[in-house]
Amino acid sequence: MIGPAELEDLRFDLAEAERTSICDSAMASLNAYWAGRGAPSEGIVLAVADQVYARSLDRRTHERRAVCIEAVRTAGYGVEWIGGRIASAQQVT
């Protein structure tokens, strides 16, 4: 028999799985872009990864682009998407 504590644990596990999925897909898009063109710097990559994780809280998987755009914007960059991949990430002045 499953009790309230087990149901709460399951809810947290599912929420964390969705958050991980958002982070993975957002960072995979950025990594694919950076692999072909080079990342701006290790510091910016780490800052963006931290922001992706922070902004993925209470978001849904279909919001991965928004999470990615918001995270990159905090590092001073703008992102342009074409289809399901990043076409450009340029520093915003």
Side-chain angles (χ1 to χ4, degrees), residues 21-86:
S21 175
I22 293 169
C23 290
D24 287 349
S25 63
M27 290 307 297
S29 298
L30 286 166
N31 288 336
Y33 176 78
W34 287 330
R37 290 160 187 84
S41 74
E42 182 180 345
I44 290 175
V45 172
L46 292 174
V48 168
D50 287 344
Q51 284 298 313
V52 165
Y53 184 76
R55 292 172 184 280
S56 64
L57 183 63
D58 296 327
R59 304 291 282 272
R60 299 292 173 234
T61 305
H62 70 274
E63 296 178 274
R64 74 170 176 87
R65 279 191 192 181
V67 168
C68 182
I69 291 167
E70 293 166 13
V72 172
R73 188 177 302 140
T74 63
Y77 287 78
V79 175
E80 180 183 341
W81 292 80
I82 294 181
R85 52 185 203 93
I86 295 175

